[in-house]
Amino acid sequence: MPCSNQPPLPPKPQPPPPPSPSLQNLENPLPPPPPPSSNAPLPSPNPPEATTTISKTSKNKPKSSLSALFIPPTPLTEAHIISLIHGSKTVLQLHQIHAQIIIHNLSSSSLITTQLISSSSLRKSINHSLAVFNHHQPKNLFTFNALIRGLTTNSHFFNAIFHFKLMLRSGIKPDRLTYPFVLKSMAGLFLKELGMTIHCMVLRCGIEFDSFVRVSLADMYVKVEKLGSAFKVFDESPERFDSGSSALLWNVLIKGCCKAGSMKKAVKLFKAMPMKENVSWSTLIDGFAKNGDMDRAMELFDQMPEKNVVSWTTMVDGFSRNGDCEKALSMFFKMLGEGVKPNAFTVVSALSACAKIGALEAGLRIHKYIKDNGLHLTEALGTALVDMYAKCGDIESASEVFGKTKQKSILTWTVMIWGWAIHGHSEQAIACFKQMMFAGIKPDEVVFLALLTACMHSGQVDIGLNFFDSMRLDYCIEPSMKHYTLIVDMLGRSGQLTEALRFIERMPVNPDFVIWGALFCACRAHKKTKMAKFALKKLRELEPTHTGNYVFLSNAYAALGQWEDAERVRVLMQNRGFHKNSGWSFIEVEGQVHRFVSGDHDHKDAKAICLKLEEIKAGAVKQGCIPGTEWVLHNMEQEEKEDVLGIHGEKLALAFALICTPPRMTIRIVKNLLVCGDCHSLMKYASKMSQREIILRDMKRFHLFKDGSCSCGDHW
């Protein structure tokens, strides 16, 4: 007989409730476990220390922690755990749920493991997904599918293929939910032959007519540039003329034709579609935009029966990428006017357009829209705003937004470092780099390009060389030709021409046109004619490959007075179908962007602009400004050279700004080419005479003109 004071046995547990109806939609929902037999051992009660830990934690955690979720005091079931997983908001909550799974001995549940892997992957916690998968035994089709899908979605293509092979070696047969993500990984790594092998496996499995698999096959072939194979898959699809389910397959083929530049085929497919969805219209519009035909894109856009945020975004992005940033911004604000709410990608595209042309006022309006509508400052939005402010000349606002952006990728850090660099603030650029290192972000080759640019503009040669060595020795990053060019440029600008030439001779790769060009420019700036001729000889030995090379070589001959050679190169350039890019300058006044080109007489205020420019030049000459005619590299008379210099686009933009903006207001000008010395000198005198700050962005850096001097120290 037991003693009377012996504690009673815990009550026999009841069988857990069956999964809720919502769980029936999950992959391979497991049936509820059978009730324990009378001979089965009774489960031990919850450890008291575990309950205590949870209650203590819940008092101190913020709302995003597990305390915000409901944890029943009774033993957890599969249904409860899956409900918690679906209700989780952060990776931390998932980790805490995982701990509860272990505590309650539910780690062996395939259904729970599958959901945990999927949720971790959805929150980009791939390492956690892998850890969960590796500790689960036995592995089955559903855990493999969840992991392969998560790896592919997060662009871990090689790892996804590795686990697919592991799946096959484990004797687990893939199904219709496996192959689409394996095919996507093959496409992501551009593995044509392996993709064809997977196609054969699909045929052997007999699932080639599954709509999900067929679309994935066609998409894979499009991405690996086997359009013929994609059309074969399309032609063998019996449901392609079914208006209810085939639109996705048609869209994949239309996108493939657009990618290959076969717009006639794309249009033919579009017209033959049994039912055209909004995404079909947007796909074809995007195709025309990516092939540079914005007129056709606009024509299709106007014909759309119903426009949505995707179609508007396609147009905004298309105009921006094709260089018509004014039209891109016009479309964006028209979209807002029609009551269409932009998504994050639309806003990023509009901010990119602002950055390209220096439209600060438009950028401020967009930033205000972000704040007023409560858009979260995501990594993409924060990076776009930093880039916009930096390229529009407001580096302080760029730094402020950077500080408020909580999620920073390496791109966000790079944009900020580059912003400091092109504004000539090398100390801030280096400090930002150090902050990035403390944040645990590993630099890449683009970060070092930004750092070398900062050192080049500030003349800090030793620090720049240290960064160059650190890139190779500490981070095992092999320098590209751009890195070598920056070192040559940096040495040349500081007058260390012999060291620059020695550096070129010791390069492990053959120097290209740009490197010898950098040395030539340095020799010309420091009036080292002998070395300049040597660099010119090297340039002559290299065949020009694009317009910029021809123009540079012609100008190099002209700089040394070799006019016949300069003319010969220009004739050769024209005969080979190359055309010099025209220079333009942008300025934004009262929210409207104005474009000026050299000799522009088409502006509505052209007469007033010319008169104002003559007034500026006359005032500058009185203060000792002499036109720098050496910047006109044509064999013409002195007076003709002065006339040509007087009508550069940035000068016209300056005159227009002085007419149309209030006194002492900062003037911001963006130029697509390098500013010439004569325009640079005139800007300095204009800043002094007008008592204004003039911010000019050329193709290499920002120039802040104030009280007759420039932030570049006349070194650009």
Side-chain angles (χ1 to χ4, degrees):
M1 293 289 291
C3 298
S4 60
N5 60 352
Q6 183 177 354
L9 288 173
K12 185 175 180 179
Q14 297 299 315
S20 62
S22 62
L23 298 180
Q24 302 303 322
N25 298 325
L26 299 173
E27 290 180 10
N28 189 35
L30 296 178
S37 65
S38 58
N39 298 324
L42 292 173
S44 60
N46 289 336
E49 60 274 13
T51 307
T52 304
T53 303
I54 296 172
S55 62
K56 287 181 178 177
T57 303
S58 65
K59 292 179 181 178
N60 301 321
K61 288 290 181 183
K63 290 184 180 180
S64 61
S65 70
L66 193 62
S67 61
L69 304 173
F70 172 67
I71 302 178
T74 56
L76 294 176
T77 64
E78 278 188 349
H80 292 142
I81 288 291
I82 291 172
S83 176
L84 287 172
I85 292 173
H86 289 174
S88 64
K89 303 296 182 184
T90 65
V91 174
L92 174 61
Q93 288 182 353
L94 281 176
H95 289 178
Q96 292 173 325
I97 293 168
H98 192 189
Q100 295 302 311
I101 292 169
I102 296 170
I103 289 170
H104 289 81
N105 297 318
L106 293 171
S107 299
S108 61
S109 168
S110 173
L111 183 57
I112 288 177
T113 300
T114 300
Q115 294 302 308
L116 195 56
I117 291 172
S118 297
S119 293
S120 295
S121 301
L122 186 64
R123 287 162 180 79
K124 304 186 184 302
S125 183
I126 287 298
N127 289 335
H128 187 237
S129 297
L130 286 166
V132 172
F133 175 83
N134 290 333
H135 285 85
H136 175 76
Q137 295 296 341
K139 296 172 175 58
N140 58 26
L141 173 64
F142 307 104
T143 53
F144 268 108
N145 277 356
L147 183 65
I148 291 171
R149 176 175 184 167
L151 290 168
T152 301
T153 305
N154 286 276
S155 301
H156 292 254
F157 302 128
F158 184 85
N159 215 347
I161 294 170
F162 170 82
H163 281 86
F164 175 68
K165 292 169 67 177
L166 179 62
M167 179 183 188
L168 297 176
R169 287 199 298 267
S170 302
I172 298 172
K173 185 180 178 181
D175 69 353
R176 59 178 290 275
L177 298 179
T178 314
Y179 286 110
F181 296 101
V182 176
L183 289 165
K184 185 175 180 180
S185 290
M186 296 294 178
L189 296 173
F190 209 79
L191 300 174
K192 296 182 183 181
E193 289 75 16
L194 277 178
M196 295 172 71
T197 302
I198 299 298
H199 191 173
C200 293
M201 294 177 67
V202 167
L203 293 172
R204 285 201 299 268
C205 290
I207 56 173
E208 68 273 19
F209 291 111
D210 179 87
S211 59
F212 190 22
V213 174
R214 290 199 79 73
V215 169
S216 300
L217 279 168
D219 186 59
M220 183 272 295
Y221 281 124
V222 163
K223 288 176 179 175
V224 299
E225 298 177 358
K226 290 182 71 69
L227 192 57
S229 298
F231 266 102
K232 188 175 180 181
V233 172
F234 175 79
D235 292 335
E236 293 173 353
S237 302
E239 78 283 1
R240 66 186 184 278
F241 289 107
D242 179 6
S243 61
S245 60
S246 63
L248 189 56
L249 186 60
W250 286 84
N251 292 337
V252 167
L253 265 293
I254 291 172
K255 188 173 183 179
C257 291
C258 293
K259 182 182 178 183
S262 304
M263 295 309 299
K264 288 185 178 178
K265 280 186 180 180
V267 172
K268 187 176 179 181
L269 278 168
F270 179 75
K271 289 180 178 179
M273 286 186 74
M275 186 176 71
K276 301 175 181 65
E277 300 175 345
N278 262 336
V279 68
S280 310
W281 287 87
S282 296
T283 300
L284 189 58
I285 290 170
D286 187 57
F288 278 116
K290 287 180 177 174
N291 282 276
D293 192 348
M294 287 308 299
D295 290 336
R296 287 296 306 276
M298 193 71 206
E299 182 182 332
L300 271 173
F301 179 77
D302 290 336
Q303 292 173 5
M304 282 188 74
E306 185 179 345
K307 301 174 180 64
N308 61 9
V309 64
V310 176
S311 51
W312 280 98
T313 301
T314 302
M315 292 303 298
V316 173
D317 184 59
F319 279 118
S320 178
R321 278 190 284 106
N322 282 280
D324 195 349
C325 297
E326 305 103 298
K327 185 66 174 176
L329 293 173
S330 172
M331 290 293 291
F332 178 78
F333 290 117
K334 183 179 179 182
M335 172 187 180
L336 295 182
E338 294 194 9
V340 181
K341 188 175 181 180
N343 58 26
F345 189 75
T346 324
V347 177
V348 168
S349 297
L351 288 170
S352 175
C354 295
K356 289 175 183 176
I357 60 175
L360 181 60
E361 291 181 43
L364 288 168
R365 287 174 62 190
I366 296 171
H367 193 181
K368 184 176 184 300
Y369 176 87
I370 292 171
K371 292 177 180 177
D372 292 348
N373 288 271
L375 294 181
H376 181 59
L377 199 61
T378 61
E379 172 197 316
L381 271 181
T383 302
L385 278 169
V386 171
D387 187 54
M388 182 275 292
Y389 277 120
K391 289 181 178 175
C392 289
D394 191 350
I395 191 65
E396 290 78 14
S397 293
S399 180
E400 182 182 342
V401 172
F402 178 79
K404 292 179 180 178
T405 305
K406 302 304 179 186
Q407 296 177 330
K408 298 182 179 74
S409 66
I410 188 170
L411 180 59
T412 315
W413 288 96
T414 304
V415 166
M416 190 68 251
I417 294 170
W418 210 297
W420 288 122
I422 61 176
H423 279 267
H425 300 303
S426 60
E427 291 182 3
Q428 288 89 334
I430 295 169
C432 190
F433 171 72
K434 290 179 179 177
Q435 291 173 16
M436 185 186 83
M437 299 299 295
F438 291 144
I441 306 292
K442 185 179 178 181
D444 62 6
E445 62 275 7
V446 184
V447 172
F448 281 103
L449 281 175
L451 289 168
L452 292 176
T453 300
C455 294
M456 179 190 70
H457 287 320
S458 61
Q460 299 190 57
V461 177
D462 292 338
I463 296 177
L465 291 172
N466 285 339
F467 276 125
F468 182 79
D469 292 336
S470 176
M471 174 181 70
R472 294 182 299 114
L473 303 176
D474 298 333
Y475 298 97
C476 300
I477 298 174
E478 200 60 35
S480 68
M481 202 64 77
K482 291 181 179 179
H483 295 97
Y484 288 117
T485 302
L486 283 169
I487 294 296
V488 173
D489 205 354
M490 183 170 59
L491 290 169
R493 285 166 183 256
S494 65
Q496 302 179 44
L497 299 175
T498 304
E499 289 79 359
L501 180 58
R502 190 180 296 120
F503 179 84
I504 293 173
E505 293 170 345
R506 292 177 178 175
M507 282 171 52
V509 293
N510 293 325
D512 66 357
F513 202 98
V514 180
I515 284 183
W516 287 115
L519 182 63
F520 176 85
C521 288
C523 293
R524 178 189 171 194
H526 293 281
K527 304 189 185 305
K528 300 292 183 181
T529 307
K530 185 177 179 180
M531 193 179 289
K533 289 182 177 179
F534 174 77
L536 183 57
K537 179 185 174 184
K538 293 293 184 179
L539 287 168
R540 191 164 45 232
E541 292 171 359
L542 297 171
E543 184 70 16
T545 55
H546 59 79
T547 303
N549 294 157
Y550 281 102
V551 172
F552 185 88
L553 187 58
S554 175
N555 289 347
Y557 280 127
L560 296 178
Q562 300 179 24
W563 300 109
E564 291 182 3
D565 289 327
E567 186 60 26
R568 175 180 57 79
V569 172
R570 286 183 177 273
V571 171
L572 184 63
M573 178 178 74
Q574 292 172 0
N575 292 340
R576 293 185 177 179
F578 292 97
H579 300 283
K580 182 180 178 181
N581 295 328
S582 59
W584 48 254
S585 297
F586 280 114
I587 188 165
E588 186 183 28
V589 176
E590 295 181 353
Q592 177 151 3
V593 177
H594 299 262
R595 178 198 287 252
F596 293 93
V597 297
S598 293
D600 196 345
H601 296 291
D602 295 331
H603 196 277
K604 62 182 181 66
D605 297 318
K607 186 174 181 181
I609 291 170
C610 289
L611 289 173
K612 187 65 176 179
L613 183 56
E614 289 301 320
E615 178 188 326
I616 299 168
K617 290 193 293 182
V621 169
K622 285 182 180 179
Q623 295 194 27
C625 178
I626 301 173
T629 54
E630 71 275 8
W631 294 93
V632 182
L633 301 176
H634 296 288
N635 190 11
M636 58 177 65
E637 296 300 324
Q638 180 76 9
E639 188 175 335
E640 291 176 304
K641 288 185 177 183
E642 291 182 12
D643 288 341
V644 171
L645 285 169
I647 51 177
H648 280 183
E650 56 266 50
K651 290 179 180 175
L652 297 172
L654 171 66
F656 178 70
L658 290 172
I659 294 171
C660 300
T661 57
R664 299 188 178 276
M665 181 178 179
T666 300
I667 296 172
R668 302 173 191 272
I669 301 170
V670 173
K671 183 177 174 64
N672 67 327
L673 302 177
L674 198 64
V675 62
C676 77
D678 183 70
C679 290
H680 190 271
S681 296
L682 187 70
M683 294 287 173
K684 289 196 295 183
Y685 281 100
S687 69
K688 187 175 182 179
M689 290 187 295
S690 64
Q691 295 294 298
R692 295 194 194 213
E693 288 186 3
I694 302 171
I695 299 174
L696 171 66
R697 187 187 98 198
D698 67 12
M699 65 182 295
K700 282 196 173 183
R701 65 165 296 157
F702 274 90
H703 302 264
L704 171 58
F705 301 96
K706 184 178 180 181
D707 296 328
S709 62
C710 180
S711 59
C712 74
D714 298 336
H715 190 81
W716 79 103

